[in-house]
Amino acid sequence: MPRALSGLTTRGRCLLAAGVAAAVCAVVLDERGLLRVAAFVVALPLLAAALAAASKVRIGARRTVTPERVPAGGDGDVCLDLWRTGRLPAGEILLEDRLPPPLGPRPRFVVERLPHHPVTLRYPIRPGMRGVHRIAALRATITDPFGLCEVERDLAAPSPVVVVPRVTPLRGRPGGAGTGGVDSGSNRHHAGQGDPDVMVRQYRTGDDMRKVHWRSTARRDEIMVRVEERPWRGGTTVLLDRRAAAHHGVGHPDGSLEWAVEFAASVCVHLSGSGSPVRLADERGDVLADLPDGAGPAGGGVVLDALAALQPAHERDLAVSSGPAHAQGHELIAVLGTVGGHGIAELTHTRPRGAPSLAVLVDTASWQQPGGGPTAAVTDTAALLRAAGWRVVVAGRRADVADIWAQLCRATATTPLQAGGSR
């Protein structure tokens, strides 16, 4: 009975206290009529509590979240199927689905009659922040007709909700992306009698001067480098700098890290959808997702799942060269936050020779002070990376992902860009 009494509502407890007080007064005043009223008042909440505790309340519930992966800032739908498998006492059933705060307010439903066949309840969710969230068990609160007692039951089991970063549709590809070091703009020339066919391309800083193809150089009036064999299709490594110290507004949907995650997700999904092998790595060179050739849409889902669970790192500097992502035959697209001298040295050491090395340098200062052009610090960093052979695009707070990708594609066909987009 003490356990049953714990389910009494405020109304039930007040009624019980009033009955006890009336019984005491009836005994003191020797009023038998008042004693009978007191006995009824005391018995009513106790009876309601006993019936609620002993009732065989059986409610079935099932929760379904669609789509399987909800994009940040997008719309999702939660479907609750309810049915009863036993006899329910008269009264209302209050249902509360306990959503975590990032998914929105907790929805509540009042059910007066529940049939044996499933009844469907729906409500929308609009998560603003990527992550792997968890909807707690569906809570049902059952009350008696007089509102004297209520019993709580957990129905549907907890459900995970995977909120993935937004994916922006992209067009085009950087020259050489996914081909293991051969630009799409490279040309095959027959150098003359006795000279085998060769692939030639423009000279880049760090190329071996012994591979200069002098006939093509004289013909084009610019240094051309010989590639004697077509390398194997190595793919593309997308390096994501997720260091908390390298970004501004970490943990906020509009922070620079979330922009970098969105850009990396869009690039990986775009390249994987076109059939190119794609590898996603972090600032230490650890592989977060490795998609083989022809992974297609399913591979994009693997990347999005990895980015949904991605947490900011606490490293102060880049350590790319120590990780397994430092592989021969992959082009490199680095999405960087604030980079110091040590990080530039790491990137220079990691840069694959004879293959496009592209960098999107996020101007994190623009997230603190919106407006204006790139800051001096990011301009200096971009100049150092370009001097080391990188093609660099600077992205500010108002930068559009598709526009930055288009600039990156153009950067492989021209000299390194001197200015990036702004967001």
Side-chain angles (χ1 to χ4, degrees):
M1 183 60 70
R3 184 176 180 181
L5 291 177
S6 64
L8 289 176
T9 62
T10 302
R11 180 185 301 177
R13 293 176 185 274
C14 290
L15 192 62
L16 181 62
V20 172
V24 172
C25 293
V27 172
V28 172
L29 300 176
D30 194 20
E31 292 285 346
R32 293 186 178 182
L34 181 59
L35 185 60
R36 285 192 291 268
V37 173
F40 174 77
V41 172
V42 170
L44 188 59
L46 295 179
L47 182 61
L51 290 176
S55 63
K56 300 295 183 180
V57 179
R58 297 181 180 274
I59 302 176
R62 179 176 56 250
R63 183 194 293 117
T64 306
V65 181
T66 54
E68 182 180 355
R69 300 178 180 91
V70 183
D75 295 320
D77 184 72
V78 179
C79 176
L80 296 174
D81 292 324
L82 304 170
W83 64 92
R84 65 182 175 95
T85 58
R87 185 174 182 179
L88 294 177
E92 294 181 343
I93 302 175
L94 174 64
L95 300 174
E96 181 183 23
D97 217 3
R98 294 173 287 174
L99 294 180
L103 298 184
R106 296 182 174 184
R108 295 184 178 184
F109 305 93
V110 177
V111 179
E112 294 183 354
R113 295 180 181 179
L114 190 62
H116 286 282
H117 59 82
V119 174
T120 301
L121 303 174
R122 295 180 181 273
Y123 64 90
I125 56 174
R126 190 178 180 86
M129 184 74 178
R130 64 176 177 84
V132 180
H133 307 289
R134 181 176 177 270
I135 303 178
L138 176 65
R139 176 65 55 86
T141 303
I142 304 170
T143 61
D144 67 281
F146 300 103
L148 301 178
C149 184
E150 61 182 19
V151 178
E152 292 184 345
R153 301 287 177 93
D154 287 339
L155 302 181
S159 303
V161 178
V162 181
V163 181
V164 299
R166 290 185 294 267
V167 175
T168 301
L170 304 178
R171 299 180 61 184
R173 300 175 59 163
T179 60
V182 178
D183 290 346
S184 60
S186 299
N187 299 305
R188 180 180 292 272
H189 292 276
H190 188 72
Q193 185 175 2
D195 195 4
D197 288 350
V198 294
M199 294 287 293
V200 296
R201 58 169 174 77
Q202 293 178 348
Y203 172 82
R204 297 194 188 98
T205 303
D207 287 338
D208 190 349
M209 293 298 295
R210 292 175 296 182
K211 294 184 178 181
V212 173
H213 193 268
W214 296 109
R215 292 189 180 183
S216 298
T217 298
R219 186 182 301 111
R220 292 195 172 194
D221 198 23
E222 60 179 334
I223 299 179
M224 304 297 293
V225 180
R226 181 179 66 253
V227 182
E228 295 178 349
E229 297 180 356
R230 183 181 294 272
W232 62 287
R233 189 176 180 84
T236 303
T237 294
V238 178
L239 174 69
L240 175 61
D241 182 7
R242 57 167 180 164
R243 295 173 296 137
H247 289 276
H248 179 73
V250 175
H252 193 275
D254 294 328
S256 62
L257 177 59
E258 297 309 311
W259 189 95
V261 170
E262 179 183 349
F263 184 86
S266 302
V267 171
C268 289
V269 171
H270 174 64
L271 294 179
S272 176
S274 62
S276 174
V278 180
R279 176 179 297 160
L280 176 65
D282 62 12
E283 71 289 337
R284 294 175 299 182
D286 294 334
V287 177
L288 304 176
D290 198 352
L291 309 182
D293 192 1
V302 174
V303 170
L304 294 179
D305 288 343
L307 290 175
L310 187 73
Q311 297 295 324
H314 300 291
E315 281 77 9
R316 303 296 301 179
D317 294 309
L318 295 173
V320 186
S321 58
S322 61
H326 181 69
Q328 190 70 21
H330 267 221
E331 286 81 18
L332 185 59
I333 300 177
V335 187
L336 307 171
T338 302
V339 183
H342 177 79
I344 294 176
E346 282 283 321
L347 292 169
T348 303
H349 178 72
T350 306
R351 174 180 175 265
R353 301 301 178 184
S357 299
L358 312 176
V360 174
L361 191 57
V362 180
D363 186 6
T364 57
S366 65
W367 266 259
Q368 296 174 289
Q369 299 176 351
T375 60
V378 75
T379 301
D380 293 342
T381 302
L384 291 174
L385 288 173
R386 290 182 183 117
W390 289 77
R391 305 295 176 93
V392 182
V393 176
V394 178
R397 181 170 186 172
R398 300 185 182 279
D400 179 74
V401 170
D403 181 59
I404 294 298
W405 175 253
Q407 293 186 48
L408 208 60
C409 293
R410 292 194 298 268
T412 57
T414 61
T415 57
L417 295 181
Q418 299 302 317
S422 60
R423 183 178 187 182

